[in-house]
Amino acid sequence: MTAPSPAVDLTALGVVPSFTDAFGVERMPAEPTRLALAERFRRSSLLAAEPLVATPGRHHPALYGTLRHEDGTTTRVTGTVDRAGYHTLTADDGTVRQVLAAEEYLPQPPRTAGLAVQLYAARTRDSWGIGDFRDLAYLARSVAARGAGVLLVSPVHAMAPVRPAPNSPYSPASRQWLNVLHIAPGDAPGAERADLADLAAAGRALNAGRRIDRDAVSRIKQEALARIWAVVRDSEPAEFRDWAAGHGDDLRAFATWTVLAETHGGDWRAWPERYAHPLAPAVAAFADQHADRVRFHMWCQWVADRQLAVACHSGVTICLDAAVGFDFGSADAWLFQDLLALDFEVGCPADPWNREGQRWGLPPFDPHALTAAGFAPLRNLVRSALRHAGALRIDHVMQLWRLFWVPAGGRVADGAYVRYPVDALLAVVRIEACRAGAWIVGEDIGTVAGEVRETMAAIGMLGYRTETGDRCAWNPENTVGATGTHDQATIAGILTRSDQRDMAGIGKDFDAADIERTRDELRRDAGIDPAAPVGPEQIRAAVLAQHRRLAACPSRIALATLDDAAGVAERPNMPGTIDEYPNWRIALPAPVEDLLAAPLARDLLAELAGR
């Protein structure tokens, strides 16, 4: 690769020239990384003009010319636009720019409390080995009856139809579509016409163990859904036909990828060359040849959407969680490949918890190509998430400002931060959220640039805080307050030291002194005798003490994890590991009916609901 021309200004193209890492050391991108980014952005920066971000009714000095609205109508504008949405401005000199007209402020939730739930782990007695949308509806009704107002749910994005089945909900096949493993087959329209007795018994038998076997769940549920499809395919419900028609090419493309993945494997990069691009003639021919199977997967998405809709109207606000990205071999990567930098992956530089840094296995969007595409991937993601849910949590909200790009096959230390058109991306989020009347949470845990939280507060995006003890009293009002996340140790795990033993058992580095300070703080806050052994009563006391403080904190939303409400010692995910720890595979220790009726969950929800 040749060196970039001196005229190439990487900073102007969005590359952060240097950054200070978590250890206070200033870092610069490696020279090979700079060269690769210069070559890429020299090309992609020519694709589209910078969009114009405006507020309806407010003057903008560049808003003069002919404006074509989303509905196809045109008006002459002289400084203002009268409606929110995605428009196109043709200036008098012929220049064409996208206009993102967004309300200034996001909808706001009332002051309330709720639970953060790993849906896969939250099984009822009727579950088929994994938590499903019927279980989510049960949870919603149950916590609503106890005075809670919110359920924050782990990502329910679609996963690849492969064996072994993917486990991490944060490495999806598509962020626009749903995980069919969360379907309750017995509730699918037409299920009463199919014999599912043997499959239902086999599915419920999977609840006997705490380790979730997604391969077994997938086999059983796919067979059940296939049996139902066999009896409904010739008399499709009109509701399904209308729904499928309304989702058009996007739905058909995803279903086509799914059938291709079933046939050729879950990574499109290893498929026969003729299927490498979604617009290739061979892909259309394949879809026609496998029309029934493509239609089946479209129907499965309708069933999932229908069941999620029921859960989202079961008494509390459902807040869905949007993952940072998707796998390299995924449906979204196949469909959006022209917008991605497939020679890089998203990660993060070294910090005290991950001293080698992290690479997340997710391809980044090229910010210039994303702009040229009118931000369609983000628009589709937010719109689909808020089709039924009343709120959305954006994981690693810094992704809207910048992402750390690691060269594929290179070292994390060679990576660089790349900026994104944040004003435009936030405008897209506001347009979609305001249309849905939904509130937005940005996960801003850890070190973030100062302007990030300032901007979030200015537009009404809630932050996310996981402080404990006295510190939660300092939570800003415009935040969701919690005592932990899926990546952090549970209260029981800290008290019993089982989390330390888990980390030591897999060779993961940790700060034992810091953990002991946290353990001492938990015991002190709960009035636990330092000399007393830790048992259920001590865990109960510590959990209630922490959530009593949380209930009194200024945060708009106070969340307990269902893991803490159940006194669970294992954390759902151990960052920086894959198979060393059973990430995303640990179910709760009892059916959620029993856990929610137990004294710990009952009293914890009473503490939070009384805020």
Side-chain angles (χ1 to χ4, degrees), residues 146-162:
R146 291 164 171 79
V150 175
L151 278 178
L152 171 62
V153 184
S154 55
V156 293
H157 304 313
M159 307 300 286
V162 296

Side-chain angles (χ1 to χ4, degrees), residues 240-605:
F240 164 55
R241 290 199 301 272
D242 292 345
W243 185 88
H247 288 88
D249 292 341
D250 284 354
L251 175 62
R252 181 176 170 81
F254 171 72
T256 300
W257 176 88
T258 305
V259 181
L260 279 163
E262 290 178 329
T263 308
H264 297 289
D267 188 340
W268 61 273
R269 297 170 299 175
W271 293 351
E273 180 64 26
R274 62 186 180 277
Y275 302 132
H277 197 282
L279 298 181
V283 171
F286 179 92
D288 290 340
Q289 293 162 8
H290 299 80
D292 182 71
R293 191 65 179 173
V294 170
R295 193 69 175 176
F296 166 71
H297 284 294
M298 294 168 69
W299 175 81
C300 287
Q301 284 299 315
W302 172 66
V303 173
D305 183 81
R306 197 172 185 267
Q307 293 187 0
L308 177 59
V310 171
C312 289
H313 294 87
S314 293
V316 299
T317 296
I318 299 296
C319 180
L320 296 182
D321 198 352
V324 177
F326 39 81
D327 283 343
F328 275 88
S330 67
D332 280 1
W334 182 62
L335 291 165
F336 299 136
Q337 59 184 271
D338 298 332
L339 311 180
L340 298 170
L342 294 171
D343 48 347
F344 285 87
E345 67 176 296
V346 178
C348 67
D351 60 37
W353 301 274
N354 298 279
R355 293 182 178 273
E356 297 81 26
Q358 295 184 50
R359 43 195 331 138
W360 298 343
L362 312 171
F365 279 103
D366 181 315
H368 307 291
L370 185 63
T371 299
F375 311 101
L378 178 64
R379 186 172 69 237
N380 294 346
L381 164 63
V382 179
R383 184 176 297 173
S384 63
L386 298 180
R387 188 158 57 238
H388 305 300
L392 178 67
R393 175 186 181 270
I394 301 175
D395 192 46
H396 189 64
V397 74
M398 279 286 290
Q399 66 177 289
L400 301 178
W401 277 260
R402 69 181 190 183
L403 280 173
F404 193 70
W405 287 28
V406 179
R411 302 182 309 155
V412 174
D414 293 337
Y417 274 110
V418 173
R419 291 193 179 94
Y420 284 77
V422 61
D423 291 341
L425 296 177
L426 290 175
V428 171
V429 171
R430 295 201 304 280
I431 290 169
E432 297 300 333
C434 288
R435 287 178 172 177
W439 44 273
I440 303 293
V441 184
E443 186 270 292
D444 58 342
I445 296 173
T447 302
V448 299
E451 71 270 14
V452 171
R453 291 188 176 122
E454 292 175 4
T455 302
M456 289 170 62
I459 65 172
M461 181 185 290
L462 302 186
Y464 204 84
R465 298 293 180 274
T466 57
E467 301 292 357
T468 57
D470 292 335
R471 293 185 298 277
C472 69
W474 295 94
N475 288 356
E477 192 271 341
N478 63 317
T479 59
V480 171
T483 56
T485 72
H486 53 261
D487 286 337
Q488 296 173 334
T490 66
I491 291 174
I494 295 171
L495 276 181
T496 63
R497 295 194 176 95
S498 67
D499 190 69
Q500 288 175 262
R501 292 193 292 273
D502 287 341
M503 288 190 287
I506 61 175
K508 185 174 177 62
D509 290 337
F510 59 90
D511 188 335
D514 183 65
I515 295 173
E516 283 304 309
R517 284 191 294 271
T518 301
R519 185 171 184 268
D520 290 343
E521 179 185 89
L522 289 172
R523 297 178 72 122
R524 183 176 63 253
D525 289 348
I528 299 171
D529 182 353
V534 175
E537 286 306 309
Q538 286 73 29
I539 292 171
R540 169 186 166 81
V543 168
L544 292 180
Q546 290 305 305
H547 290 88
R548 192 173 299 120
R549 288 181 178 273
L550 186 63
C553 80
S555 293
R556 184 75 60 85
I557 309 290
L559 286 181
T561 66
L562 186 52
D563 305 86
D564 279 337
V568 171
E570 304 95 339
R571 67 168 89 186
N573 178 58
M574 191 74 72
T577 68
I578 299 177
D579 293 323
E580 302 93 321
Y581 182 84
N583 296 319
W584 317 114
R585 284 169 280 173
I586 304 173
L588 292 168
V592 291
E593 302 99 317
D594 295 346
L595 295 175
L596 291 179
L600 177 56
R602 181 196 64 207
D603 293 346
L604 182 153
L605 285 169

Side-chain angles (χ1 to χ4, degrees), residues 58-301:
R58 181 176 299 171
H59 182 269
H60 193 293
L63 199 57
Y64 285 82
T66 300
L67 195 69
R68 184 178 181 85
H69 301 284
E70 283 182 87
D71 61 7
T73 61
T74 59
T75 57
R76 176 74 184 175
V77 290
T78 55
T80 60
V81 58
D82 64 355
R83 71 197 77 171
Y86 307 95
H87 315 303
T88 303
L89 176 70
T90 302
D92 293 336
D93 63 1
T95 303
V96 178
R97 294 177 69 182
Q98 182 181 17
V99 176
L100 303 172
E103 300 295 341
E104 186 175 8
Y105 208 64
L106 289 161
Q108 297 296 292
R111 182 175 171 84
T112 189
L115 288 178
V117 178
Q118 301 300 311
L119 181 57
Y120 61 84
R123 304 183 299 198
T124 64
R125 288 187 177 82
D126 289 331
S127 300
W128 291 18
I130 196 169
D132 58 41
F133 292 130
R134 179 175 55 193
D135 300 332
L136 181 60
Y138 172 82
L139 277 164
R141 294 191 301 271
S142 299
V143 300
R146 291 164 171 79
V150 175
L151 278 178
L152 171 62
V153 184
S154 55
V156 293
H157 304 313
M159 307 300 286
V162 296
R163 304 282 189 276
N167 289 305
S168 173
Y170 288 93
S171 296
S174 174
R175 297 186 295 177
Q176 185 174 349
W177 305 105
L178 296 171
N179 186 348
V180 296
L181 294 191
H182 292 314
I183 290 175
D187 286 1
E192 71 283 355
R193 298 162 52 193
D195 183 3
L196 306 180
D198 59 324
L199 298 175
R204 287 192 292 269
L206 295 175
N207 297 338
R210 287 196 64 193
R211 190 65 58 85
I212 292 172
D213 184 346
R214 285 181 172 83
D215 284 341
V217 171
S218 179
R219 283 192 296 270
I220 293 169
K221 290 199 174 187
Q222 282 291 316
E223 174 60 23
L225 292 168
R227 289 185 191 179
I228 301 168
W229 176 244
V231 300
V232 303
R233 63 153 63 93
D234 294 329
S235 56
E236 290 181 354
E239 181 186 349
F240 164 55
R241 290 199 301 272
D242 292 345
W243 185 88
H247 288 88
D249 292 341
D250 284 354
L251 175 62
R252 181 176 170 81
F254 171 72
T256 300
W257 176 88
T258 305
V259 181
L260 279 163
E262 290 178 329
T263 308
H264 297 289
D267 188 340
W268 61 273
R269 297 170 299 175
W271 293 351
E273 180 64 26
R274 62 186 180 277
Y275 302 132
H277 197 282
L279 298 181
V283 171
F286 179 92
D288 290 340
Q289 293 162 8
H290 299 80
D292 182 71
R293 191 65 179 173
V294 170
R295 193 69 175 176
F296 166 71
H297 284 294
M298 294 168 69
W299 175 81
C300 287
Q301 284 299 315

